[in-house]
Amino acid sequence: MNYRPIPGLNIYSEFSHSSNTKDSSDTTANIDKSGNAFKIRAIGNKNPSRVLLEYERISPDFITLAGSATPDREKFKSTWRYKINKKVTTHLGFLWYRDNLDGQLAAGKNVYRPSIGITYKKAFGRKHNVVDLTYKFDKTNTTNDITNHIIDLSINDRFGKVYNTTNISYYKYKTDGVVQDSHEFRANTEFSGRIKKDDYVLKPSLRLGTWSNKNELTSSLDKYYEASVGLGFDIAKYKISSKIKVGENRANRDLSDDSKKLFASLNIYYRPKKFFSFKRTMIYARAFYNDFTYTTNNKDFRENSVIVGIKIRF
Amino acid sequence: MKNRLKILLLPLLLIFAFTNADAKWWIFGQNESSVDVSYLYINSLSFDSTKKEIVISKDSLDNGYLHIRGKANAGTSNIGKVLISLDNKKTWNKAKLARDGAFDFSFEPVIGKKYDIYVQILDTTGKSNDLEDTHKIVSVSNKDMREIVQNSLNHLKEAYSSENLSAFMRYVSSDFTGDDTTLELALRKDFSAFDNIHIDFTISSIAYQDGKYLVSISFNRSLESSKDGKVYSDKGITEFNFTDGKNGAMLYSMKNPLIFGLSDAEEVADGSVMSLENSEVITVDTGGNIGEKSIADIANNTGSSSSGNIDSGSFTLSYDDLATGNQYKGFLFDSGSTVSLSGWNNQGTSDIYLETNIFWPDSGALIQDLGMDGSGNVDFNHMTVPTTGYVNQPIQATNNDDHIIAVKLSDNTYAIVKIISSNLIDNLGQIHTTVTCQYKYRSDGGVNF
């Protein structure tokens, strides 16, 4: 049911009932299961604000073979987006859900996920600059409670013909019962460009990244570094696209071997207008080279692969 | 129960805290005028949720007619009449008006012609509403809905494959269910995580209902991780909703498995298509890592936490020839505990145990060595274990560091074990071994770690 009582407000609800009988065999009794699913959603959308409130409850015995409902779930979700001005938009979100609605499980789950974010466009007077900053908290009450924090900063910009995307993230994962207690820090930046001349397009790219993981349970610190350069080459006229990429990933681990992976990949795709009587065809070739080096020399290995294929859609 | 009530009330309080007393609760700072329309529709499309220009497919006409329907509001005075202009205010047509202010005007549009529509509400004193608020430019396309949707999907696909955000957003409704600004953010993350995106799709079914095109597609896609050049490919079935808008069909909502905006599936997707075709589909976790999950896993997690159903940790097992009892140590994934075995007669008390320099599966479990972490598709942090190929045979535990062993337990649940370090002392034939491992275990039978 869809109801719009006043401008910008849309209320949507649905209710389903399922009744199933599982025919086990001739000698054992059939199993009957029936359940209900209910969902209501209200969206108020009129600039500068958009508010969503959603509640759903799906009983454990609600069986759907082709639907999108997850049985044994009670959920409430709310989001509020507010455009302070043309440049700044804020987001507030809250998700709560639980299972074990009939107390049928030994241990159920109660999950709370609030989040807050801000998007700042054209920061520093730069036309193409977009800064996104989000914080997410993830709390799960279950046998071993889980508490995670995620802070993510993403900056997109364009300098002349060069596009840049930079991500900096911090994660804190903790699961009670001495299961997990770790911090992660990730940072990566990618520069890419697009140079077009007639039907030819060159797409160079450079990516640099680092990732560290501090495990408080084992008092160990693992550090990872990644660097790669790529060059794409497309010929739009002939529907050919290709990319070659070369890079290195290094891992420095406290509790096990350090490692280095040198990789290279080449991908070529060609979509002929017509291939015999087939109109939607893609011919592709992929080649990979991976060279792994470890502190313990006898673990070193290398793998090469070449794949040539054709995809035909009927 | 009290806590739950507080949780439900908190967002509502936040919302109301920022509203003006005389404003509609979600429209901040806007006052109601005395002569106005409470709601306005053209067929089933709300004037509020569409942009100024609307292209309507001929399939969405009601027996060839367009109906402009709404409800006039004149505050404390009475409504005199409601006039509709189809030609930019040059001529006016009187709408049928009911006592409660509801009005209706129908006309048979000419295919391809643009109608500059205004709605004027006049109260009995001659006071009018703001005409610009009701302005729409409406045309009816000769194309059928399949063509219109196909055209929009093609544009979305091309814009996504060429990582052109503004071109993509031109085909997204401002009323997008998952919030268009959230989708923008997710797309920016997708473009950072993916390279060489190739998507093929076929529209399998399409229907028009309540002003929306309900579209089901089968897809086939491949993309490259911008991190390490690894190629991921998948295929499946998914659904979109489109609504009429300036560029024809505008993206209104998407279901899992998502084709666009995978980086924030929790916010972007509006439900999941639970089909057997969606056995393994591409996902992106909160750290930007690409992986593959079954649609059931995506739906069950209701979000981005990749650790929701996974128990993980580490264990150290030992074996000692000299010990008079408890020579063997084994591990139980369900409880996450180590157990002591005094010999063969204690078999059946662990899931996997160490004997001299090898691991044995136990209690009906089967194992297989998947190879070294980082090789091929073997990645302890993000991988899918196979469901076949398991054996009841031993696997080397020492001098096999960084290898990942997949374990299939007797109840068809799965675990992965990564050998971190090992030590074997051979004291004149008396063996003493210790092996330290990391593990992940899923009690729900899932295969994605």
Side-chain angles (χ1 to χ4, degrees):
Chain A
M1 190 177 74
N2 215 344
Y3 178 53
R4 284 176 182 268
I6 32 183
L9 177 64
N10 188 343
I11 299 173
Y12 163 89
S13 71
E14 62 180 68
F15 175 83
S16 299
H17 174 79
S18 82
S19 182
N20 282 270
T21 300
K22 188 179 177 187
D23 192 351
S24 303
S25 71
D26 291 342
T27 51
T28 53
N30 292 344
I31 301 166
D32 292 318
K33 280 192 173 186
S34 66
N36 299 319
F38 170 70
K39 181 177 186 173
I40 183 161
R41 177 165 65 200
I43 299 176
N45 189 9
K46 187 90 176 173
N47 270 332
S49 200
R50 182 183 192 274
V51 177
L52 175 145
L53 300 170
E54 188 177 291
Y55 172 79
E56 69 179 45
R57 193 180 197 284
I58 299 144
S59 55
D61 289 340
F62 181 81
I63 294 171
T64 170
L65 295 177
S68 59
T70 305
D72 195 17
R73 177 71 45 98
E74 185 176 22
K75 179 177 125 180
F76 173 74
K77 181 181 176 182
S78 68
T79 61
W80 176 31
R81 182 207 63 197
Y82 186 64
K83 284 185 180 169
I84 294 172
N85 54 42
K86 282 186 176 175
K87 289 184 177 177
V88 184
T89 305
T90 57
H91 310 261
L92 266 179
F94 179 79
L95 171 71
W96 165 79
Y97 68 88
R98 69 173 185 120
D99 59 6
N100 199 16
L101 299 191
D102 291 348
Q104 76 281 14
L105 303 173
K109 241 193 317 188
N110 236 313
V111 180
Y112 306 85
R113 284 187 197 152
S115 64
I116 186 165
I118 185 164
T119 299
Y120 196 144
K121 289 184 176 175
K122 299 181 182 175
F124 318 114
R126 298 195 53 78
K127 190 181 169 189
H128 299 285
N129 184 287
V130 183
V131 178
D132 295 300
L133 177 65
T134 54
Y135 166 72
K136 288 184 179 177
F137 175 71
D138 183 352
K139 174 83 181 171
T140 304
N141 293 332
T142 183
T143 315
N144 293 318
D145 287 0
I146 300 166
T147 312
N148 298 332
H149 302 264
I150 300 165
I151 300 169
D152 185 60
L153 173 69
S154 163
I155 304 166
N156 288 264
D157 209 336
R158 184 177 149 186
F159 306 92
K161 288 189 172 179
V162 178
Y163 294 83
N164 174 251
T165 302
T166 301
N167 283 294
I168 300 167
S169 316
Y170 169 78
Y171 306 81
K172 163 102 178 103
Y173 298 116
K174 186 163 172 45
T175 306
D176 291 351
V178 205
V179 174
Q180 188 178 24
D181 187 358
S182 62
H183 311 259
E184 270 183 29
F185 172 77
R186 291 168 188 257
N188 60 65
T189 186
E190 183 171 3
F191 294 90
S192 58
R194 187 180 171 88
I195 304 155
K196 193 174 179 203
K197 184 143 175 55
D198 301 327
D199 284 322
Y200 305 98
V201 183
L202 268 181
K203 295 187 287 186
S205 64
L206 166 70
R207 184 186 169 95
L208 300 167
T210 182
W211 171 36
S212 70
N213 182 306
K214 169 91 173 137
N215 188 334
E216 298 290 352
L217 299 179
T218 54
S219 297
S220 59
L221 177 67
D222 295 343
K223 288 181 179 172
Y224 301 83
Y225 304 95
E226 52 193 46
S228 63
V229 287
L231 183 65
F233 179 58
D234 298 352
I235 311 171
K237 190 177 172 182
Y238 300 112
K239 301 214 168 196
I240 291 174
S241 65
S242 63
K243 183 155 191 175
I244 185 164
K245 188 170 223 169
V246 180
E248 186 179 281
N249 295 349
R250 280 173 183 268
N252 295 337
R253 302 184 183 103
D254 271 358
L255 293 182
S256 59
D257 266 12
D258 292 346
S259 65
K260 189 173 84 176
K261 176 188 172 186
L262 185 68
F263 67 89
S265 66
L266 171 68
N267 292 284
I268 302 169
Y269 302 90
Y270 169 49
R271 290 172 185 270
K273 274 187 183 169
K274 203 174 174 187
F275 186 76
F276 296 103
S277 58
F278 304 110
K279 282 185 180 173
R280 298 168 69 188
T281 306
M282 183 169 77
I283 299 166
Y284 61 91
R286 294 173 184 156
F288 302 96
Y289 167 86
N290 291 312
D291 184 60
F292 292 81
T293 313
Y294 290 83
T295 313
T296 310
N297 290 339
N298 61 6
K299 287 160 68 176
D300 294 355
F301 73 100
R302 183 180 298 162
E303 59 182 9
N304 305 316
S305 63
V306 177
I307 302 161
V308 179
I310 183 165
K311 269 186 190 173
I312 298 170
R313 298 275 285 172
F314 298 97
Chain B
M1 188 63 196
K2 274 185 182 173
N3 280 340
R4 260 197 277 160
L5 201 63
K6 281 180 195 168
I7 290 158
L8 292 167
L9 285 174
L10 183 67
L12 288 172
L13 285 172
L14 276 171
I15 290 155
F16 284 117
F18 289 90
T19 57
N20 295 334
D22 59 348
K24 292 186 180 77
W25 60 271
W26 70 100
I27 309 169
F28 301 95
Q30 292 197 7
N31 295 320
E32 292 180 71
S33 61
S34 56
V35 179
D36 203 349
V37 278
S38 297
Y39 57 83
L40 199 51
Y41 283 90
I42 184 151
N43 282 14
S44 52
L45 291 171
S46 162
F47 270 49
D48 281 302
S49 61
T50 51
K51 291 188 175 168
K52 190 172 251 180
E53 275 193 67
I54 315 172
V55 179
I56 294 174
S57 83
K58 63 180 182 186
D59 297 294
S60 50
L61 295 178
D62 178 18
N63 289 322
Y65 278 83
L66 278 176
H67 307 285
I68 297 169
R69 292 184 178 117
K71 190 169 183 186
N73 173 29
T76 49
S77 60
N78 294 319
I79 300 154
K81 56 185 171 184
V82 176
L83 302 170
I84 313 284
S85 173
L86 303 176
D87 52 7
N88 198 16
K89 296 184 277 190
K90 285 178 195 153
T91 59
W92 292 92
N93 307 281
K94 207 169 172 183
K96 276 189 235 165
L97 179 66
R99 252 187 206 177
D100 64 352
F103 62 87
D104 185 352
F105 175 76
S106 303
F107 69 102
E108 196 173 358
V110 176
I111 303 289
K113 185 180 173 182
K114 275 193 177 178
Y115 293 91
D116 238 319
I117 298 175
Y118 286 90
V119 178
Q120 185 173 38
I121 315 292
L122 289 164
D123 71 4
T124 44
T125 65
K127 194 174 176 187
S128 170
N129 63 316
D130 184 351
L131 294 185
E132 286 309 313
D133 282 352
T134 65
H135 185 205
K136 290 281 169 194
I137 301 166
V138 179
S139 58
V140 179
S141 168
N142 191 32
K143 292 176 184 169
D144 64 20
M145 59 184 172
R146 180 174 279 269
E147 269 181 279
I148 288 179
V149 169
Q150 179 85 45
N151 180 50
S152 292
L153 271 170
N154 283 341
H155 273 97
L156 289 167
K157 186 190 89 168
E158 291 305 324
Y160 189 74
S161 302
S162 57
E163 304 192 359
N164 186 338
L165 183 64
S166 55
F168 187 96
M169 295 308 293
R170 279 200 282 276
Y171 285 83
V172 177
S173 164
S174 57
D175 217 17
F176 180 73
T177 318
D179 190 355
D180 51 340
T181 55
T182 304
L183 175 63
E184 266 192 66
L185 176 57
L187 290 169
R188 281 197 287 273
K189 289 188 173 180
D190 282 7
F191 297 159
S192 170
F194 305 150
D195 273 338
N196 266 337
I197 304 164
H198 291 272
I199 303 164
D200 277 319
F201 67 87
T202 305
I203 295 175
S204 7
S205 71
I206 187 162
Y208 188 82
Q209 186 190 324
D210 295 334
K212 306 281 182 306
Y213 301 101
L214 316 178
V215 183
S216 172
I217 67 161
S218 61
F219 68 91
N220 209 310
R221 95 183 126 181
S222 72
L223 50 85
E224 214 182 295
S225 162
S226 54
K227 199 176 276 188
D228 57 9
K230 200 183 276 186
V231 174
Y232 295 82
S233 57
D234 65 353
K235 59 184 167 65
I237 291 171
T238 194
E239 290 173 14
F240 295 88
N241 276 6
F242 286 86
T243 184
D244 285 309
K246 186 184 175 186
N247 296 317
M250 307 287 281
L251 185 60
Y252 178 78
S253 68
M254 298 187 281
K255 285 188 179 181
N256 283 313
L258 287 174
I259 304 292
F260 315 118
L262 289 68
S263 296
D264 196 357
E266 182 176 305
E267 296 297 335
V268 170
D270 183 25
S272 305
V273 179
M274 306 296 281
S275 164
L276 291 174
E277 300 290 323
N278 299 328
S279 55
E280 293 297 328
V281 291
I282 294 169
T283 56
V284 184
D285 74 2
T286 45
N289 298 298
I290 305 171
E292 284 166 320
K293 281 184 178 178
S294 72
I295 194 68
D297 284 337
I298 295 171
N300 278 329
N301 274 330
T302 320
S304 50
S305 172
S306 57
S307 55
N309 295 320
I310 304 174
D311 293 331
S312 60
S314 58
F315 61 81
T316 299
L317 300 183
S318 60
Y319 171 81
D320 196 345
D321 265 347
L322 292 174
T324 50
N326 300 334
Q327 292 112 320
Y328 309 82
K329 292 279 185 203
F331 189 70
L332 280 165
F333 293 102
D334 193 17
S335 60
S337 56
T338 52
V339 289
S340 298
L341 293 78
S342 56
W344 291 99
N345 55 336
N346 276 112
Q347 276 187 17
T349 55
S350 69
D351 294 324
I352 184 171
Y353 69 89
L354 180 69
E355 183 199 358
T356 59
N357 59 342
I358 51 178
F359 282 128
W360 277 99
D362 194 11
S363 306
L366 302 169
I367 56 178
Q368 67 173 306
D369 190 343
L370 300 178
M372 197 171 279
D373 190 13
S375 63
N377 289 323
V378 181
D379 180 352
F380 186 73
N381 291 316
H382 306 279
M383 68 176 298
T384 302
V385 295
T387 51
T388 55
Y390 295 83
V391 290
N392 184 18
Q393 285 175 8
I395 286 175
Q396 186 79 22
T398 56
N399 289 321
N400 206 16
D401 291 3
D402 277 344
H403 269 243
I404 293 180
I405 298 165
V407 185
K408 185 177 185 177
L409 305 181
S410 57
D411 60 356
N412 287 325
T413 56
Y414 295 88
I416 51 173
V417 174
K418 179 180 175 184
I419 303 170
I420 299 297
S421 60
S422 59
N423 186 31
L424 186 147
I425 299 167
D426 186 349
N427 189 8
L428 301 172
Q430 301 295 324
I431 305 289
H432 177 79
T433 320
T434 53
V435 180
T436 300
C437 302
Q438 283 181 312
Y439 79 94
K440 289 183 180 181
Y441 168 65
R442 290 194 61 152
S443 57
D444 59 359
V447 292
N448 298 297
F449 291 88

